[in-house]
Each structure stands twice: as structure tokens, then as C-alpha cells.
Amino acid sequence: EPEVTQTPSHQVTQMGQEVILRCVPISNHLYFYWYRQILGQKVEFLVSFYNNEISEKSEIFDDQFSVERPDGSNFTLKIRSTKLEDSAMYFCASSGNRGSANEKLFFGSGTQLSVL
Amino acid sequence: AQKVTQAQTEISVVEKEDVTLDCVYETRDTTYYLFWYKQPPSGELVFLIRRNSFDEQNEISGRYSWNFQKSTSSFNFTITASQVVDSAVYFCAGFGRGAGSYQLTFGKGTKLSVIP
């Protein structure tokens, strides 16, 4: 079965540093998402991306965050200047080979970000 | 706004017992989708089921069954004859219009421990 791939699985960084989390969505999908899960808490929506632009974003997704689909296959989440509270598991997801936003979301295995 | 409530934070059962995980989804949308995801200790999110708001038929898949009742906004998940491998955190999620945007909203999760 096709899957969403995320790299790296773990990322450790110093506070104030920039990090880029990478995702390869399922190849014929059109909608892409980032979610995060702070340890022991629920999964929270960050942003959705369609047709090379952000379609929705949450309050969490402030100016420190950005997303990009640089080459038609990768989908990246950049955190410009990390804060301690950015430590979380970040999940990438994709959906909608028919362009329907309410199709099943396929999640990657996540990137555990630890900000020291 | 939409809200997903999983009132049970943790449940422990002995292997082979049946267990039901509760979920209540509140929304003003008339059309929405409900999901259950499993998060095993390894951390990934595994899709279990999607149900749309027009379909109140119960669904059974092996040892798993789901009961959706629109009148009470409940979408409960039952595992029959539980096994140790069922130990995980289970998230209920709803897809609908959140704070002005369509997004998948997760509940806080129910941690299920199946004791051998």
C-alpha cells in the first residue's frame, strides 16, 4: 500500500535554530497537511496545502512556520526560529487523489522534534 | 466550531474482554465525516475507519465494530475479544468546518491497555 514518508524520524535542535521537516506524500494525492502532537496531548491541525498554496491554517501556524512543495514530490515544514514549546511529534498527511478534501487522510510516521 | 470529546482518558481490560471507546462529536455542520485512528507505542497514526454523517449503519470489521448515532452525536468503537496488540491510544476525529476552515479535529485520545 502506498505510504507517506517523513524524514528524519527524530530531530534535535537548539532553541532559535531553523529546522526543516520533510515529507513525501503519496504520489497522486493533491491535498497535503501538517499536524502536530505535543507529548501526551491530542493531535492538532497546523496547515493544509492545495494547488501550491496554503488553503487553511490554524492559530498555531504563525509567522515562524512555513510550508513549501519545492519540487513536486516533497512537502516541507520549516520552523524559522524554534522555541522550546515547538517540541512535539509532527505528522505529515496527504489525501484526495480526486481532489476531495474529505477523503481519508494518510499519515506519515511522524518526526519527533526536540528543542533544547 | 466543532468539538470531539473522548471522555475516557485511560482504560485497562484483561485480554479477551470486550471494550467500548466512546466519542462524541459536536458540530453545527449537517455534513461531516468521522474517523477513528490508532496510535500504537511506535507513534504512527493508523487509519481505522471513516464514516459520513448520512450513514448510521453500524459497521463491523473483524473484531472491530462502530456504532454511529447522529441523534446523540456519538461514534463509539468496540473491540471484541481484545488482544495485547490492541494496546494503543485511540483517537476519534471529525472532519468539518472548524474556526472558519475545513479541518480534521482530533479528540484527546483514549489510552487502551490490554493486560495478558
Side-chain angles (χ1 to χ4, degrees):
Chain A
E1 182 174 278
E3 57 182 31
V4 176
T5 307
Q6 289 186 245
T7 55
S9 56
H10 291 87
Q11 174 89 47
V12 180
T13 190
Q14 298 276 350
M15 192 170 59
Q17 295 293 306
E18 174 184 286
V19 294
I20 297 176
L21 310 183
R22 302 180 191 281
C23 170
V24 179
I26 293 171
S27 62
N28 59 351
H29 281 183
L30 300 176
Y31 286 80
F32 313 109
Y33 309 84
W34 283 100
Y35 285 78
R36 80 169 187 193
Q37 184 183 29
I38 295 172
L39 184 64
Q41 298 186 25
K42 67 177 180 180
V43 181
E44 301 173 292
F45 170 77
L46 292 179
V47 65
S48 61
F49 191 87
Y50 171 70
N51 200 26
N52 284 319
E53 59 184 23
I54 291 173
S55 50
E56 315 283 359
K57 61 181 182 179
S58 72
E59 291 176 353
I60 303 168
F61 194 88
D62 61 22
D63 292 343
Q64 294 285 67
F65 291 90
S66 62
V67 289
E68 200 175 39
R69 192 159 155 79
D71 55 14
S73 62
N74 291 285
F75 178 51
T76 62
L77 174 69
K78 182 193 289 187
I79 308 175
R80 223 178 317 276
S81 176
T82 50
K83 301 180 286 236
L84 295 177
E85 53 264 38
D86 294 327
S87 296
M89 177 77 92
Y90 288 80
F91 289 102
C92 173
S94 69
S95 73
N97 56 358
R98 289 176 291 165
S100 171
N102 53 26
E103 287 288 311
K104 180 176 79 174
L105 267 65
F106 290 80
F107 283 87
S109 300
T111 293
Q112 180 64 55
L113 176 65
S114 298
V115 181
L116 306 178
Chain B
Q2 52 185 349
K3 184 180 175 184
V4 181
T5 302
Q6 292 181 256
Q8 304 146 308
T9 306
E10 292 193 46
I11 301 176
S12 290
V13 297
V14 177
E15 199 171 21
K16 297 184 184 174
E17 285 184 351
D18 299 347
V19 59
T20 295
L21 310 181
D22 299 332
C23 173
V24 174
Y25 180 64
E26 297 169 60
T27 180
R28 276 178 262 178
D29 291 334
T30 54
T31 302
Y32 51 87
Y33 289 78
L34 296 173
F35 298 78
W36 276 95
Y37 284 87
K38 174 182 179 181
Q39 187 176 42
S42 48
E44 71 271 25
L45 286 169
V46 179
F47 169 84
L48 296 177
I49 188 171
R50 181 188 71 155
R51 172 56 49 86
N52 74 52
S53 54
F54 290 100
D55 183 359
E56 290 195 61
Q57 281 193 335
N58 290 341
E59 182 156 342
I60 297 175
S61 175
R63 296 184 297 107
Y64 296 167
S65 62
W66 291 269
N67 181 291
F68 171 53
Q69 294 193 357
K70 195 167 184 176
S71 59
T72 56
S73 302
S74 67
F75 186 41
N76 296 336
F77 171 33
T78 298
I79 302 174
T80 304
S82 59
Q83 300 175 1
V84 172
V85 293
D86 296 327
S87 297
V89 180
Y90 290 85
F91 290 97
C92 178
F95 189 95
R97 186 168 284 275
S101 63
Y102 280 103
Q103 57 186 262
L104 188 63
T105 299
F106 284 80
K108 292 185 177 180
T110 298
K111 182 177 180 181
L112 174 65
S113 299
V114 181
I115 304 162

